[in-house]
Amino acid sequence: MSIQLNKPYKIAQRKQKRYQEHYNIPADKCVVIPVKEFGDDVSCKVRWEDGEGKVHEQSQLFFNSQNIEPVDAMKDYQLAELVSDSK
């Protein structure tokens, strides 16, 4: 799969538990923004909103490109809003 840099992605459902435990992030509520490719791995910024409405961001988290999928702005509107909040 070809990854587009600086476009919104989400963590594939089958890998959410793994990334949640590894990075200590709420994987099902994160938007992943690829910044730089390293072969099959991608360095990303990750943003999410906590229960109190505060937006958190971590950078330089690595994901395998096969473990992320594009955000659908209609279905994943909450994730899409996290991207627009960062601009």
Side-chain angles (χ1 to χ4, degrees):
M1 178 171 91
S2 177
I3 295 294
Q4 294 184 353
L5 300 181
N6 300 308
K7 298 292 182 185
Y9 287 80
K10 62 182 179 179
I11 301 169
Q13 188 173 6
R14 69 186 192 297
K15 293 294 184 176
Q16 287 178 354
K17 184 177 179 184
R18 177 181 180 194
Y19 284 113
Q20 184 163 316
E21 291 171 356
H22 185 72
Y23 288 132
N24 195 28
I25 58 174
D28 61 329
K29 296 180 176 134
C30 291
V31 66
V32 177
I33 311 291
V35 178
K36 190 169 184 180
E37 286 186 86
F38 298 92
D40 286 341
D41 293 325
V42 204
S43 175
C44 302
K45 286 189 303 185
V46 178
R47 293 175 56 91
W48 71 93
E49 188 175 324
D50 66 19
E52 297 173 1
K54 183 177 178 185
V55 176
H56 299 269
E57 183 173 301
Q58 288 189 19
S59 58
Q60 297 182 342
L61 299 184
F62 282 83
F63 294 85
N64 184 287
S65 62
Q66 295 182 9
N67 295 335
I68 59 176
E69 50 195 44
V71 166
D72 179 332
M74 297 298 283
K75 287 183 359 188
D76 306 311
Y77 64 91
Q78 291 176 321
L79 295 180
E81 285 180 3
L82 285 171
V83 176
S84 62
D85 287 349
S86 68
K87 294 181 180 173

